[in-house]
Amino acid sequence: MAIKYELIKECKQSGARLGKLHTPHGVIDTPIFMPVGTQATVKSLTPEELIELGSQIILSNTYHLYLRPGNDLIKKAGGLHSFMHWNGPILTDSGGFQVFSLNDLREISEEGVTFRSHLDGSKHFISPEKSIEIQNDLGADIIMAFDECTPYPSSYEYAKNSLERTIRWAKRCIKAHKRKEDQALFGIIQGGEYKDLREKSVKEMIELDLPGYSIGGLSVGEPKELMYDIINYISPLMPKEKPRYLMGVGSPDALVEGVIRGIDMFDCVLQTRIARNGTAMTSGGRVVIKNSKYEKDFSPLDKNCQCYSCKNYSRAYIRHLFKAKEILGLRLISYHNLYFTLNLMKDIRCAIKEDRLLDFKNEFFINYGYLN
Amino acid sequence: MAIKYELIKECKQSGARLGKLHTPHGVIDTPIFMPVGTQATVKSLTPEELIELGSQIILSNTYHLYLRPGNDLIKKAGGLHSFMHWNGPILTDSGGFQVFSLNDLREISEEGVTFRSHLDGSKHFISPEKSIEIQNDLGADIIMAFDECTPYPSSYEYAKNSLERTIRWAKRCIKAHKRKEDQALFGIIQGGEYKDLREKSVKEMIELDLPGYSIGGLSVGEPKELMYDIINYISPLMPKEKPRYLMGVGSPDALVEGVIRGIDMFDCVLQTRIARNGTAMTSGGRVVIKNSKYEKDFSPLDKNCQCYSCKNYSRAYIRHLFKAKEILGLRLISYHNLYFTLNLMKDIRCAIKEDRLLDFKNEFFINYGYLN
């Protein structure tokens, strides 16, 4: 097996789990947040900075890398780790989500999905076999089965067909996977908002005995309460001895709520995306740095933060950088937002260890400005 | 005196000088190249990276900082060093060059220059006194007298009036300067392409007994041979015991030629500007990374370079970053170009020490692809 999940302890206050995930490129403390490096780079930052700010694993995107620079080139470079100079664990998604969300002209058949590149309009076809071939070339530690991400809202019929196809596709992915010894293939649970479909999806996916499972089709426009409700329902059905990954979710409140419900892994582009617009996540809530009230504010982004940006720069300076369109500004906030999030995960792990995650949640949501 | 220039040795093969410049924020080995941080940041890089790649002093721009964020704000922040988190020596220009080059609607009078902001069109007035007031607020180690930069070509009459006004303005700058103990004021030699005017300018400027002198009005469109010819003529007239600064010049060939003619300090935006377009300065000449021939080139930007970018990334990866418009790409080339330039200055200093600068020049220009 490429990876091994070690369950260290379960929280007495909640469904949270403390664990370690052993991968070919290192051991990850779970629950963990994975910064996203869509195009083989976490936007604006170096791998050394990612390590310094606490990243233990990063995510990269199969769809984007397949289109540019191409999986052949990355294979020639010795794989994604070598290509992008990141020697820690990597997870690649299957491309399924992007094929559906970035393409209006896609055509889905049982065989796979035909779509047009968002870069140049050229026509492409990705099947479960092709997705795995690309991911085998990229060489990430964890790869994802090719799924059909059910949109919200969807009819019961649509969600049912979509999850059943996802199961059939997962079987084809397993068959096509050529690097089982050093790449762990995760299955994706679909089923939309329908609990019986989610249950069916979990049960049939578990039968495939994969090294880990992720929950897909959430954070796609549904109310947060519905998302939490579905996780509440699915999580206890998932095997204890395997990691649970909630795809595309990473706002600070959702991280806490997800962990409480037994999730081990998260990823999200939010941290670096809002950083590029000058928005910092802080212990006092969001700081929109271009706001004129920060013009003469010589305090750090977050007075409770120990990151490089907060130790060395003022809000006034970072605001100046954004007003002057200087790249260092978004570097400093990207760094801070990822540090803030990974530090939150560290605090969460500590709270699980001490069986006080619900207490931590209350403090965090009330004292730190993330009200429910 | 705010600074002290220590002449260590003169090259036996050329007019080059090896020296140390003692400033309130540290000692600089000369000849030196100064990376440019126009808006209180050397584009895309942190101060720690600037130190790591060999920067000993950086330059920042009075005109830009006066308009945004304003010298008042920077003064409130404790000065430019504190504001931008750079604790090494800083030189600020006078704003004169930008007032002339970025404004079509400027009006010059004996009192000063009225101009419109390139940001919002608002009307401003900078006099010698105002330039020094701003620079006193910024608090750089070395500040420049407010001058009228003579364009190329200019009539004899224009160049003469312009240099005479620059001398009168320098006297007003000296009078207005309120921080003589910790900020060294340099005078600027003008005179266009006319040797007798350059001579007049040097002689009258020297009489003001300033801590250093710079040569202005070069690299403004004239042929390089004319520039070298003028430096050849001026340099021997300048006092040996004071630093000589050639403003706005920094291409690798011009650095070597300038040092040979006795110049101690240089600055240029070339390194970071071409980096943003994906052009690297290398020991084999310029590498335009978007060129398709680098698509599958897994060698570093410069095989003879020991910088962070060259030790860890391939041309193929950096090309991918540029094609995908990822910020890390221009960071890596900016880092490399500045490292390459500061490493060249180190090699130059070593060659002066060993009295073989002309030999070094020949090797550099022939073997390393910078043909004359």
Side-chain angles (χ1 to χ4, degrees):
Chain A
M1 290 283 268
I3 62 162
K4 191 181 160 297
Y5 175 72
E6 183 188 345
L7 176 61
I8 294 175
K9 88 177 284 289
E10 292 171 291
C11 179
K12 285 177 186 156
Q13 272 196 346
S14 71
R17 306 131 49 83
L18 196 68
K20 281 191 187 292
L21 188 58
H22 300 258
T23 82
H25 286 84
V27 182
I28 302 153
D29 298 306
T30 60
I32 193 71
F33 173 81
M34 304 183 278
V36 180
T38 303
Q39 305 190 106
T41 167
V42 175
K43 290 194 187 301
S44 87
L45 301 173
T46 62
E48 286 79 3
E49 285 161 350
L50 291 173
I51 291 167
E52 190 181 84
L53 61 82
S55 310
Q56 300 190 28
I57 173 172
I58 62 170
L59 183 144
S60 201
N61 290 97
T62 290
Y63 168 86
H64 288 91
L65 297 179
Y66 158 72
L67 290 178
R68 184 176 58 195
N71 44 303
D72 286 350
L73 182 79
I74 292 178
K75 188 182 182 181
K76 269 204 190 78
L80 189 53
H81 294 87
S82 162
F83 184 60
M84 70 180 287
H85 174 52
W86 167 263
N87 204 31
I90 302 178
L91 182 150
T92 47
D93 66 4
S94 68
F97 180 75
Q98 283 77 21
V99 163
F100 291 101
S101 63
L102 295 177
N103 288 277
D104 293 333
L105 299 170
R106 67 194 180 264
E107 278 169 39
I108 312 169
S109 70
E110 185 59 23
E111 185 52 24
V113 185
T114 304
F115 62 96
R116 289 192 178 275
S117 158
H118 74 289
L119 298 174
D120 60 8
S122 57
K123 216 170 173 176
H124 296 266
F125 176 72
I126 293 190
S127 60
E129 290 77 12
K130 181 70 187 172
S131 169
I132 297 299
E133 183 194 325
I134 300 167
Q135 293 187 80
N136 282 170
D137 283 350
L138 298 177
D141 303 77
I142 300 173
I143 66 177
M144 303 302 298
F146 191 66
D147 65 326
E148 186 187 337
C149 180
T150 315
Y152 177 85
S154 286
S155 70
Y156 186 87
E157 200 58 21
Y158 186 98
K160 183 165 181 286
N161 287 337
S162 161
L163 92 83
E164 287 172 348
R165 176 175 285 144
T166 294
I167 297 281
R168 290 193 298 275
W169 282 0
K171 291 175 185 168
R172 285 166 56 189
C173 286
I174 294 170
K175 212 166 164 184
H177 186 17
K178 289 199 172 61
R179 294 179 59 178
K180 292 195 173 74
E181 74 293 345
D182 67 344
Q183 292 188 290
L185 175 66
F186 278 28
I188 302 175
I189 295 158
Q190 292 289 353
E193 61 188 292
Y194 307 101
K195 287 187 182 166
D196 61 324
L197 296 184
R198 286 285 179 179
E199 185 171 344
K200 176 180 161 71
S201 181
V202 181
K203 289 193 171 163
E204 295 185 16
M205 202 51 88
I206 289 174
E207 281 173 20
L208 303 181
D209 194 24
L210 290 163
Y213 300 98
S214 74
I215 306 177
L218 292 182
S219 196
V220 292
E222 80 285 0
K224 274 193 174 172
E225 282 316 312
L226 176 58
M227 172 169 87
Y228 298 145
D229 194 35
I230 291 172
I231 305 171
N232 272 341
Y233 188 78
I234 302 178
S235 196
L237 305 173
M238 295 174 83
K240 271 195 178 180
E241 70 283 7
K242 290 181 178 174
R244 304 163 182 170
Y245 164 29
L246 179 58
M247 303 178 83
V249 173
S251 63
D253 53 337
L255 290 172
V256 177
E257 297 288 3
V259 170
I260 283 172
R261 290 162 177 81
I263 302 297
D264 306 304
M265 302 164 71
F266 303 85
D267 79 283
C268 200
V269 296
L270 182 72
Q271 281 69 9
T272 46
R273 178 170 290 166
I274 65 175
R276 293 197 295 283
N277 298 321
T279 301
M281 294 173 167
T282 79
S283 59
R286 288 194 180 187
V287 167
V288 179
I289 202 68
K290 283 193 198 166
N291 196 310
S292 61
K293 71 178 167 187
Y294 302 121
E295 189 181 352
K296 293 172 187 174
D297 185 343
F298 297 111
S299 66
L301 284 177
D302 185 344
K303 65 182 188 326
N304 295 313
C305 181
Q306 296 302 312
C307 86
Y308 169 75
S309 304
C310 290
K311 280 193 292 187
N312 298 305
Y313 303 90
S314 66
R315 290 171 168 181
Y317 179 66
I318 298 174
R319 180 175 185 276
H320 161 65
L321 294 176
F322 269 89
K323 297 294 278 186
K325 298 187 178 19
E326 286 284 357
I327 285 171
L328 184 59
L330 64 91
R331 267 189 71 179
L332 295 177
I333 300 192
S334 295
Y335 189 103
H336 167 79
N337 283 354
L338 288 175
Y339 181 97
F340 176 83
T341 305
L342 288 157
N343 197 54
L344 169 61
M345 297 312 290
K346 204 190 277 180
D347 288 345
I348 286 174
R349 291 195 298 271
C350 182
I352 300 173
K353 202 172 167 186
E354 297 169 359
D355 292 311
R356 55 171 181 81
L357 187 58
L358 288 187
D359 300 337
F360 174 83
K361 170 189 159 175
N362 290 335
E363 286 161 30
F364 183 78
F365 278 44
I366 295 163
N367 297 340
Y368 290 64
Y370 282 106
L371 294 168
N372 235 336
Chain B
M1 291 283 270
I3 62 161
K4 192 181 158 296
Y5 175 71
E6 183 189 344
L7 176 60
I8 293 174
K9 88 177 283 289
E10 291 171 292
C11 178
K12 284 177 186 157
Q13 272 197 345
S14 70
R17 305 131 50 84
L18 196 67
K20 282 190 187 293
L21 187 59
H22 300 259
T23 81
H25 287 84
V27 181
I28 302 153
D29 297 306
T30 59
I32 193 72
F33 172 81
M34 305 183 278
V36 179
T38 303
Q39 304 191 106
T41 167
V42 175
K43 289 196 189 300
S44 88
L45 302 173
T46 63
E48 286 78 3
E49 285 160 351
L50 292 173
I51 291 167
E52 192 182 82
L53 62 82
S55 310
Q56 300 191 28
I57 173 171
I58 61 170
L59 183 144
S60 201
N61 291 96
T62 290
Y63 168 86
H64 288 91
L65 297 178
Y66 158 72
L67 289 179
R68 183 175 59 196
N71 43 303
D72 286 350
L73 182 78
I74 293 178
K75 188 182 183 182
K76 269 203 190 79
L80 188 53
H81 293 87
S82 162
F83 184 60
M84 69 180 289
H85 174 53
W86 167 263
N87 204 31
I90 302 177
L91 182 150
T92 46
D93 67 2
S94 68
F97 181 75
Q98 283 76 20
V99 162
F100 290 101
S101 63
L102 295 177
N103 288 277
D104 293 334
L105 299 169
R106 67 195 180 263
E107 279 170 38
I108 313 168
S109 70
E110 185 60 23
E111 185 52 23
V113 185
T114 304
F115 62 96
R116 288 191 179 277
S117 159
H118 73 290
L119 299 174
D120 61 7
S122 58
K123 217 170 173 177
H124 296 266
F125 176 73
I126 293 190
S127 60
E129 290 78 12
K130 181 71 187 173
S131 169
I132 296 300
E133 183 194 324
I134 300 167
Q135 294 187 80
N136 283 169
D137 283 350
L138 299 177
D141 302 72
I142 300 172
I143 66 177
M144 303 301 298
F146 191 66
D147 65 327
E148 185 187 339
C149 180
T150 315
Y152 178 84
S154 286
S155 70
Y156 186 87
E157 200 58 23
Y158 186 97
K160 183 165 181 286
N161 287 337
S162 162
L163 93 83
E164 287 172 347
R165 176 176 285 146
T166 293
I167 297 282
R168 290 192 297 274
W169 282 0
K171 291 176 184 168
R172 285 166 56 189
C173 286
I174 294 169
K175 211 165 164 184
H177 186 17
K178 289 199 171 62
R179 295 178 60 178
K180 291 194 174 74
E181 74 293 346
D182 67 344
Q183 293 188 291
L185 175 66
F186 279 27
I188 301 174
I189 295 157
Q190 293 289 353
E193 61 187 292
Y194 307 101
K195 287 186 182 167
D196 62 323
L197 296 185
R198 286 284 179 177
E199 184 170 346
K200 176 180 161 70
S201 182
V202 180
K203 289 193 169 161
E204 295 186 16
M205 201 54 86
I206 288 174
E207 281 173 20
L208 303 182
D209 193 25
L210 290 164
Y213 299 98
S214 74
I215 306 177
L218 292 182
S219 197
V220 291
E222 79 285 0
K224 274 194 173 172
E225 282 314 313
L226 176 57
M227 172 170 87
Y228 298 145
D229 194 35
I230 291 172
I231 305 170
N232 271 340
Y233 189 78
I234 303 178
S235 197
L237 305 173
M238 295 174 82
K240 271 196 177 181
E241 70 283 7
K242 290 181 179 174
R244 304 164 183 169
Y245 163 29
L246 179 58
M247 302 178 84
V249 172
S251 63
D253 54 337
L255 290 172
V256 176
E257 297 288 3
V259 170
I260 283 172
R261 290 162 176 81
I263 302 297
D264 306 304
M265 301 164 73
F266 303 84
D267 78 284
C268 200
V269 296
L270 182 72
Q271 281 70 6
T272 47
R273 178 170 290 166
I274 66 174
R276 292 197 295 284
N277 297 322
T279 301
M281 295 173 167
T282 78
S283 59
R286 288 195 181 186
V287 167
V288 179
I289 202 69
K290 283 193 199 166
N291 196 310
S292 62
K293 71 179 168 186
Y294 303 121
E295 190 181 351
K296 293 171 189 176
D297 185 342
F298 297 111
S299 66
L301 284 177
D302 185 345
K303 64 182 188 325
N304 296 313
C305 180
Q306 295 302 312
C307 86
Y308 169 75
S309 304
C310 290
K311 280 192 292 186
N312 298 305
Y313 302 91
S314 66
R315 289 171 170 182
Y317 179 66
I318 297 175
R319 180 175 185 275
H320 161 66
L321 294 176
F322 269 89
K323 298 293 278 185
K325 299 187 177 21
E326 286 285 357
I327 286 171
L328 184 59
L330 64 91
R331 266 188 72 181
L332 294 178
I333 300 192
S334 295
Y335 189 103
H336 167 79
N337 282 354
L338 288 175
Y339 181 98
F340 176 83
T341 305
L342 288 157
N343 198 52
L344 169 61
M345 297 312 290
K346 205 190 276 179
D347 289 345
I348 286 174
R349 291 194 299 270
C350 182
I352 300 171
K353 203 172 167 188
E354 297 169 359
D355 292 311
R356 54 169 182 83
L357 187 58
L358 288 187
D359 300 337
F360 174 82
K361 170 188 158 176
N362 289 335
E363 286 161 30
F364 183 78
F365 277 45
I366 295 163
N367 297 341
Y368 289 64
Y370 283 107
L371 294 167
N372 235 336

